[in-house]
Amino acid sequence: MGLVGLIFELVVLVCLAAGIASNAAVVGSCDMLDLRNGSLGPWRADINGSGCVVWDKSDEATDWILNMARVCSMMGLILGCIFTFFAFFKQCLCPLPCGQLIMDISGIGVQISLALVWPMIRSNVCQTLGCSWGGGATALLLAQIFFFAASIFSRCMREPRYERRKERRDEHKEEEQAKKEPVEEPVEADAEQGHAAKVY
């Protein structure tokens, strides 16, 4: 893959780091939704100027959409970390069992998980108080874009480091072996030419 593979590898690792940061911002956000009397995120809320604090899940225990968004935002972060772990080990350290398969599954899973955070705007809280998207929604959109790019380009990366080192060692051994082998002189060809000259 050469230079192109190196560029894709850097793109994947940068996108994974940015995706985790954006997903963490979603989990820690308290302004995913702007309400009339404050703002609300999957795990934190700022109601009536009380500050950005963790809201009690029992307060909205019957609101399954909020509960789903809460679980899925954290699930997306966990799957994103798994994706990053396997991608980093595959490219930089050592192979892991079923590495590419797990990367593909976690990449799809993180997209599904983050997509299930968007229905928050249809929760009972929004129907009661009215909602609009806040700054946390931007972080959610960026997280999906970063993880999607990493999922696509993860199959375009160059060979892992351990494979490149193995290829260099094999090439070095071949070169050393070629230097040690004696150069065979064309004795038979010279003898045939001499015999032909005598006959002539």
Side-chain angles (χ1 to χ4, degrees):
M1 295 293 291
L3 179 61
V4 176
L6 173 61
I7 293 173
F8 282 133
E9 179 180 327
L10 294 176
V11 168
V12 169
L13 295 178
V14 170
C15 284
L16 287 173
I20 289 178
S22 299
N23 201 340
V26 171
V27 173
S29 171
C30 61
D31 63 345
M32 176 71 68
L33 300 173
D34 290 331
L35 311 176
R36 288 199 301 265
N37 60 341
S39 59
L40 177 69
W43 293 83
R44 297 158 67 86
D46 181 4
I47 305 298
N48 296 324
S50 60
C52 191
V53 296
V54 177
W55 55 269
D56 188 2
K57 181 177 179 295
S58 61
D59 294 342
E60 299 294 340
T62 59
D63 196 338
W64 67 271
I65 295 181
L66 275 182
N67 293 334
M68 178 183 67
R70 182 176 238 208
V71 171
C72 289
S73 64
M74 184 61 70
M75 185 63 67
L77 183 59
I78 294 172
L79 290 172
C81 290
I82 293 173
F83 191 170
T84 305
F85 176 82
F86 275 84
F88 181 77
F89 261 74
K90 176 186 175 183
Q91 292 300 121
C92 303
L93 297 179
C94 62
L96 294 175
C98 305
Q100 187 62 52
L101 177 62
I102 294 177
M103 288 168 59
D104 293 339
I105 293 174
S106 58
I108 295 173
V110 71
Q111 289 295 327
I112 295 174
S113 298
L114 294 179
L116 292 176
V117 179
W118 291 106
M120 279 183 66
I121 201 167
R122 298 299 181 186
S123 61
N124 294 335
V125 174
C126 289
Q127 292 178 3
T128 303
L129 301 177
C131 293
S132 62
W133 292 114
T138 303
L140 177 58
L141 179 61
L142 289 175
Q144 287 189 280
I145 292 174
F146 287 134
F147 282 128
F148 180 75
S151 299
I152 296 298
F153 295 130
S154 66
R155 289 189 166 273
C156 304
M157 296 187 292
R158 61 179 177 171
E159 294 79 7
R161 181 183 178 187
Y162 58 88
E163 289 187 4
R164 299 196 304 271
R165 294 179 64 181
K166 182 180 178 181
E167 290 178 359
R168 286 196 295 267
R169 285 197 301 266
D170 293 342
E171 291 176 358
H172 182 69
K173 288 180 180 178
E174 290 177 359
E175 292 176 358
E176 292 293 331
Q177 187 175 1
K179 291 178 181 179
K180 292 179 181 179
E181 290 180 354
V183 178
E184 296 181 357
E185 298 181 355
V187 178
E188 296 181 357
D190 292 342
E192 291 178 359
Q193 289 178 0
H195 179 70
K198 291 178 180 179
V199 172
Y200 179 78

